[in-house]
Structure formats: structure tokens, C-alpha cells
Amino acid sequence: MAAPFLPLTRPTIDEETIAGVADVLRSGWITSGPKVREFEAQLSARCGGRPVRAFNSGTCTMEVALRLAGIGPGDEVITTPLSWVATSNVILTVGARPVFVDVDPVTRLIDLDRAAAAVTPSTRALLPVDLAGLPVDRDRLHALAARHRLRVVEDAAQSLGSTWAGRAIGAAGDFVSFSFHPNKNVTTIEGGALVLNDECEARLAEQYRLQGVVRSGLDGMEVEVVGGKFNLTDVAARVGLGQLPRLDEFNTRRRELARRYLELLDTPEWRELGLGLPPADFRQTNWHMFQVALPLERLTVDRAGVMAALQAAGISSGVHYPAIHLFAVYRRLGWKPGDFPVAERLGRSLLTLPLFPAMVPADVERVAGELATILRAHRR
Ligand SMILES: *Cc1c(COP(=O)(O)O)cnc(C)c1O
């Protein structure tokens, strides 16, 4: 009998959460309300009590953070070319200019030496990404920001539950943005949250979240900023309320599975095949993804060929992400191949393997075994 199909990822939603969602649906209040406030409070508790506001994506959170920082036309924001395109799209959305700097080949994260060298008088903010959940060095990041009086928007979409120096991501810093897309370590179906510095900023974030509206008294309404339509629903927040208490359990399981991947792949034979592995971090990362860099120059197949062979064996794999500056929109703005060689090479060769809490070690063994068969069959 063929082994069951193994997806790249799958959310774990328990029956208690499903029943809770049904209760919200029956309650008569289904859009933003008490469940959103409860979700914000729970998340705030995980973030050292800092103010948190929930949104309907981890994209609009970053757009709002940039608006709160007053960033717009004429301003530059330094970021990484190796991320989900949302990271730099929001910079364009507010009218500012992304300034990409290449990534470190080992961590795959923004190279902070290059970031420091890219600061100009127009630089207003740093927008780093914790790719795969591995945290960017927060000490160096915030020292760089302080040196040049820059704002920081941490794209922590993938790093909820990761830590830096023993402290939860979100518990320190400037703006911190999380996403609760179904692929993330916890989900609200779609959703996001922004960690802010004080209640004043949080109130302004609420305005940007919903058309800029401020209500007063029974019938008063004022609009002082052009806000969006970014509010989370109570139905979605109820899903999140069933997820957050399980974050640590989910991340422990991810860590165990990642450890098994590394046990199997970090061997002399695999080193000989030239597979690139993620840093063996079992202290700081939440193992949002397990990504290998394929040794394409030593293979007779490309990445799509490897993915097709895995698919034929009943295993899904993914691409996170092609280098952003090579997308048509960005090429039209002047970027070109060769600008960021490390991100471009990783963008071509990174392959994300299945990793989610409902997997068991035998699934990891199956993936590693199939990958070995495929790579051996296509050696140059
Ligand atoms: C998921 C993700 C986002 C955007 O989150 P959405 O909730 O899908 O808008 C942004 N940046 C990174 C790195 C992500 O992985």
C-alpha cells in the first residue's frame, strides 16, 4: 500500500477550538469584538505585556507600522531580498523605497554589516525578517538602529515563539509584526498582530486599522487619518485563542522533528552530496520551516525536478522564496540579476521540506530517504 500523502504543512486545530468557533457564530457578534480583545491580551502576555493590536494579516501590520513611523515618499527602508514579497511590497505601498542588502549564506538572514553600509541620510527604518523562524541578531540590529536613529519593523511573521537572548521575540524592540496565516506556527486562518511601544501608538494603530475612525459619546465620529480595512473578526480570534496556549507544545514538536532531520542529513554521505543545511539551532528558533539548499551544480535535475520526484513519492515540498528583487515589479524599478548573489543562489536552490506538529519522526525518515534516493539518482 502506498504511504499516505504528506503535505508541506497542516494546521492543528483541536475540537475544543472548533466548538468555540461554533459558539461565536451562534453568539450574534461575529466581527471584531470581545474575542479580538481577549486574543490581543493573550498575545500581549507573551510579549512582556507590551501593547498588541490584532489585524487581518501580517502584511497590513507592517504597512501600519511604517505609517505610524511616518515613513513615506523620499524615505528608504533597508530590508532583505530573501523573504515573502509582502516584506518589501509594504515599503512600496507607503511610497518609500526598499533598499535591499544581501543575506548571510549560513543563516540566510539579512547581513547586518551590509545593512550598516547601506545607511544613507534618507534611511528611516530597518525591516529585517526572521526567515524560517531563526531570529536576526537583535543586539546588533537595535544597536545599528540606535546609532542612526532608525525605526525598526521586525517582520516576525515566522518567528512567534522564537527567542533572542532568552527573551520572546516581541517582548523587546520597536515594532514587531506577526502573521497567523495557516502555514505559520499558530493560525487565525488569516490574521496578524502588531506589537507597539505605548498605548498612544496603539490607539493610532486602531485608527489605521479601521478607516481612521474615532468614536466619542453615543453619536460622535471623527476621521483624522486615512485608514484601511484591516480588522480581525471574532471568529478568527477564537481560532487564535485555541492556538496560542498550544504554541510552546507545537514548537517543541517542531524542534524534535527538525532534530531528526538534522540527525539524518548531517552525515558524511550527505555532506558529500553537497546539501546545504539550516543552522542547528535548538535554543532560539521556533523551526517555522526546515529548508535545505539543493546542490544544483552537482545534479542533473533542477529544483522543480526534485519537487516533482518528491511529489511522485507522495511528499509535498515548497519554495520560500525566490529573490524578491528579480520579480518583474522590482526589475522595473531597476534591480537586476547579480545584485544580490547569495539571495539569488538561495532563492534558486532552497527547498522547504514538510514540517508541522502532527508529523511523526517516521515521516521525517521517509522524506530524508526519498530525497536521498532522488539526489543519488541524479548525480552529475
Ligand atoms: C506570512 C508572511 C508575511 C505576511 O503575512 P500574511 O498574514 O500572509 O499577510 C510577511 N512576511 C513573511 C516573512 C511571512 O512569512
Side-chain angles (χ1 to χ4, degrees):
M1 198 187 80
F5 183 75
L6 184 64
L8 181 61
T9 185
R10 191 174 67 208
T12 296
I13 313 259
D14 52 45
E15 290 304 318
E16 192 273 331
T17 302
I18 293 170
V21 166
D23 289 343
V24 173
L25 289 171
R26 289 189 195 99
S27 74
W29 192 280
I30 57 177
T31 188
S32 311
K35 295 297 175 196
V36 168
R37 286 191 290 275
E38 205 183 319
F39 181 65
E40 290 171 338
Q42 262 199 25
L43 197 56
S44 171
R46 291 197 71 98
C47 297
R50 299 181 73 202
V52 172
R53 291 298 179 273
F55 289 77
N56 60 22
S57 78
T59 301
C60 63
T61 43
M62 296 190 286
E63 180 188 327
V64 168
L66 292 171
R67 292 197 192 284
L68 291 172
I71 291 168
D75 298 333
E76 294 177 355
V77 178
I78 297 175
T79 192
T80 168
L82 190 64
S83 181
W84 176 228
V85 66
T87 305
S88 55
N89 278 353
V90 294
I91 301 170
L92 294 176
T93 301
V94 302
R97 180 167 177 85
V99 173
F100 296 112
V101 298
D102 212 346
V103 298
D104 178 281
V106 175
T107 63
R108 305 160 180 172
L109 305 174
I110 190 168
D111 180 331
L112 291 173
D113 289 326
R114 291 178 193 274
V119 174
T120 75
S122 300
T123 308
R124 297 286 311 282
L126 304 172
L127 208 172
V129 177
D130 301 323
L131 188 70
L134 188 68
V136 169
D137 183 327
R138 294 302 199 268
D139 299 328
R140 294 190 58 207
L141 174 71
H142 291 288
L144 175 63
R147 198 152 63 239
H148 299 281
R149 299 173 156 274
L150 306 174
R151 297 304 297 265
V152 179
V153 180
E154 298 174 22
D155 183 349
Q158 303 185 357
S159 55
L160 184 64
S162 298
T163 60
W164 180 260
R167 221 164 171 193
I169 295 300
D174 191 356
F175 296 114
V176 184
S177 168
F178 295 116
S179 166
F180 309 114
H181 178 276
N183 285 359
K184 304 296 179 345
N185 290 29
V186 297
T187 186
T188 60
I189 306 175
E190 297 287 355
L194 186 62
V195 187
L196 304 118
N197 295 290
D198 53 48
E199 284 304 324
C200 178
E201 230 175 45
R203 274 194 298 278
L204 193 51
E206 288 173 15
Q207 293 177 38
Y208 280 113
R209 182 167 65 180
L210 196 70
Q211 316 291 7
V213 164
V214 182
R215 293 173 189 278
S216 57
L218 281 180
D219 64 348
M221 187 185 295
E222 188 50 272
V223 177
E224 286 185 359
V225 300
V226 181
K229 171 64 182 177
F230 300 147
N231 56 306
L232 191 72
T233 70
D234 261 19
V235 175
R238 180 60 188 86
V239 176
L241 283 167
Q243 292 271 291
L244 271 185
R246 299 192 63 184
L247 174 64
D248 295 331
E249 168 205 334
F250 290 164
N251 287 351
T252 298
R253 170 50 70 98
R254 285 175 176 274
R255 207 169 290 125
E256 287 165 4
L257 296 165
R259 197 184 284 279
R260 188 75 191 117
Y261 266 126
L262 285 173
E263 278 168 9
L264 294 166
L265 300 180
D266 194 5
T267 65
E269 198 214 335
W270 278 97
R271 268 196 288 281
E272 212 253 304
L273 277 168
L275 193 75
L277 295 175
D281 176 321
F282 295 101
R283 218 161 36 89
Q284 306 196 119
T285 177
N286 65 2
W287 285 103
H288 170 62
M289 293 191 283
F290 191 93
Q291 298 183 285
V292 294
L294 296 173
L296 292 176
E297 57 298 333
R298 299 198 213 168
L299 299 175
T300 57
V301 279
D302 58 10
R303 180 172 60 188
V306 174
M307 294 175 78
L310 280 170
Q311 186 82 19
I315 295 168
S316 184
S317 58
V319 173
H320 306 89
Y321 300 91
I324 293 173
H325 66 288
L326 299 183
F327 288 132
V329 163
Y330 289 86
R331 284 192 198 224
R332 285 201 290 271
L333 293 170
W335 285 283
K336 57 187 187 312
D339 283 348
F340 309 108
V342 182
E344 289 169 30
R345 183 174 51 75
L346 288 169
R348 278 190 305 272
S349 62
L350 280 182
L351 183 71
T352 308
L353 301 179
L355 181 63
F356 54 91
M359 270 172 69
V360 293
D363 294 320
V364 172
E365 287 151 22
R366 182 178 153 212
V367 175
E370 291 293 348
L371 188 62
T373 305
I374 295 163
L375 297 196
R376 276 194 213 107
H378 295 93
R379 287 173 82 165
R380 232 181 242 294

